[in-house]
Amino acid sequence: MITKTIDILYNNNDASDSDLISIINCSDTEYLFTKAVKRRKEYYGDKVFIRGLIEISNYCKNDCLYCGIRRSNITLDRYRLTKEGILACANEGYRLGFRTFVLQGGEDMYFSDDDVCSIVYAIKTAYPDCAVTLSIGEKTKASYKKYKDAGADRYLLRHETANASHYAKLHPSSMSLDTRKQCLWDLKELGFQVGSGFMVGSPYQTDSNIVEDLRFLQELCPDMIGIGPFLPHKDTPFKNEPSGSFLKCLNIIAILRLMFPYALIPSTTALATISPHGREQGVMAGANVVMPNLSPQDVRKLYSLYNNKAFSGSEAAEAIEILKKQMQSIGYRVVTDVGHVAK
Ligand code: 5AD
């Protein structure tokens, strides 16, 4: 019985590989989500944390096969925000109630470490009660240290898959899982609150790959864990690959909540893109963070990781009132709070 298996996971924050695979694929999810929500409420009550996402650049030196902003995509109009532009987004975000800003971008070599530091420092100086999260890819430990010293609090870097041969099928040969993992260890050692995660249903992914992802996360003990469905982008080699399963994503969110009760788990934009009420359903499966878009309106469509990215309605930071109502309607409360991890 799947309920017995879920009880094992609930009681031990862990389960065997084969039990995890059964839960990943279970279709009677009511019991699973009830347990995940129970655990989530013990740690976070009815709070939903919000993060303002500022997409600072869609230039990228990498060529990840799944990603729409890969450098080989020559059809995409490229943009990067200026420091002033980024500060204007933060200013607007602060006014709207955001107390965490996530600066995300492709690996754009135009921004030197000094540029990144001066942006981080400016935000932290203007809004000392806010956290700054960076999500700008693989850098040297020395660079990460500079960002930390400039005031950056958190760093998001998904490992994407913890299986080296799967990693090689999703990335060009210039990239490696070892480098990705090393970056994550470096970030931890430097004292960042670290976020990692993976796509669900990426091409060639197997259920045992997902278990390997969960095992790697157990090793890493990240503060934040982001997952979402793989979604094809028309100008990538994976354009004809099927999307990841929405239900599988929800099951994995619930599993993550039970394995990592303290974690900050976003209900991601990809989840909201694949299903009309994906955002709410993610929260009802155990997620406790949402990251509305604070980027300037005209660049939102250009930060095109996958097709049909949701960027209007409650995805948009300026529509925070809609988001608040949505969360209220399912029994949760959006809070204006820096929203640190409950570790
Ligand atoms: N589908 C879903 N997620 C994607 N990402 C990149 N491309 C895609 C895609 N086609 C995710 C990656 C990356 C994060 C910023 O977005 O996991 O780490």
Side-chain angles (χ1 to χ4, degrees), residues 151-164:
D153 304 276
R154 307 182 183 138
Y155 206 101
L156 303 179
L157 183 69
R158 289 187 179 178
H159 66 276
E160 312 296 358
T161 171
N163 177 287

Side-chain angles (χ1 to χ4, degrees), residues 64-69 104-105 135 156-160 171 180 197-200 202-203 226-233 236 238 244 270-271 303-307:
C64 308
L65 278 75
Y66 46 84
C67 184
I69 68 168
Q104 186 172 85
S135 178
L156 303 179
L157 183 69
R158 289 187 179 178
H159 66 276
E160 312 296 358
H171 299 95
R180 183 58 60 114
F198 57 95
M199 286 175 288
V200 174
S202 57
I227 63 139
F230 161 76
L231 298 167
H233 186 289
T236 65
F238 291 158
L271 204 60
Y303 199 78
S304 157
L305 305 180
Y306 41 78
N307 287 337

Side-chain angles (χ1 to χ4, degrees), residues 64-66 70 160-172 198-213 229-232 236-245 248:
C64 308
L65 278 75
Y66 46 84
R70 67 200 304 266
E160 312 296 358
T161 171
N163 177 287
S165 60
H166 186 220
Y167 194 94
K169 291 181 180 151
L170 303 181
H171 299 95
F198 57 95
M199 286 175 288
V200 174
S202 57
Y204 312 107
Q205 184 185 55
T206 63
D207 286 344
S208 40
N209 291 153
I210 297 176
V211 173
E212 289 174 275
D213 289 322
F230 161 76
L231 298 167
T236 65
F238 291 158
K239 61 179 176 225
N240 294 321
E241 298 289 334
S243 298
S245 149
K248 213 165 181 174

